[in-house]
Amino acid sequence: MKKTATYHITVGASTRNLSVVREFVTEHTKAEGFSDTVVSDVCLAVDEAYTNIIKHAYKFDPTKKVEVDLEFDPEKVCVCLTDTGKSFDKSSYTVPDIPKQIKNKKRGGMGVFLIQKLMDRVDYKTRDSENEIKMYKKRETES
């Protein structure tokens, strides 16, 4: 992949930093020429992934850090979130039953599903003590 631009921030694992992460992603994806719709989709996916790290990997410990990296190339953006908390066990994930969740007014449990629906590709990797989620979104092509 030929990179055209990369950006990086490190934030504490706290919901107080959600706006910082959103602004970081929005600023750079807009500057790289992505449409408002794509920017919104990427921001929502990153929001869900970051919130999952806060809740599940770090159990709301705001002293822990999350690395957020953006890589742009002519075809897509790749957003990578890295943490050192409890890893996500992809094998235990089951797709939620949306009608049942709505019927039972159950909140939560939709983050991974949403991320996969909003992005073109999602990869999870654990290496040594680091967990990575890489989310890819293609640029729109004019038809």
Side-chain angles (χ1 to χ4, degrees):
M1 174 169 91
K2 181 181 176 188
K3 295 179 199 172
T4 57
T6 60
Y7 304 93
H8 173 87
I9 60 169
T10 301
V11 291
S14 168
T15 54
R16 291 182 186 173
N17 292 323
L18 277 166
S19 63
V20 173
V21 174
R22 280 186 207 123
E23 289 170 18
F24 173 75
V25 171
T26 298
E27 175 189 346
H28 294 296
T29 50
K30 277 188 174 185
E32 290 290 330
F34 285 83
S35 71
D36 289 345
T37 301
V38 170
V39 171
S40 178
D41 287 352
V42 171
C43 274
L44 183 53
V46 171
D47 213 71
E48 291 293 333
Y50 179 61
T51 302
N52 283 344
I53 291 169
I54 293 168
K55 283 181 173 178
H56 304 293
Y58 287 144
K59 308 289 185 203
F60 298 98
D61 181 348
T63 65
K64 303 295 184 180
K65 301 292 182 198
V66 179
E67 307 285 327
V68 182
D69 293 280
L70 300 174
E71 291 182 9
F72 295 92
D73 71 23
E75 289 86 36
K76 66 189 168 300
V77 58
C78 173
V79 184
C80 180
L81 276 63
T82 306
D83 69 84
T84 57
K86 182 181 176 191
S87 63
F88 171 64
D89 180 8
K90 191 177 174 187
S91 68
S92 68
Y93 172 74
T94 56
V95 176
D97 182 339
I98 306 297
K100 188 176 178 181
Q101 292 218 194
I102 293 169
K103 181 181 173 188
N104 295 335
K105 299 179 181 175
K106 184 178 178 212
R107 298 179 67 189
M110 300 291 293
V112 173
F113 177 77
L114 249 178
I115 292 166
Q116 291 175 341
K117 288 294 180 190
L118 292 168
M119 302 301 281
D120 295 315
R121 181 176 144 201
V122 181
D123 296 328
Y124 295 91
K125 184 166 55 175
T126 299
R127 181 182 50 228
D128 299 324
S129 62
E130 285 191 345
N131 307 305
E132 275 185 0
I133 176 172
K134 284 189 173 183
M135 301 172 282
Y136 300 86
K137 189 72 172 181
K138 295 176 189 165
R139 290 185 189 271
E140 299 109 329
T141 56
E142 293 181 28
S143 50

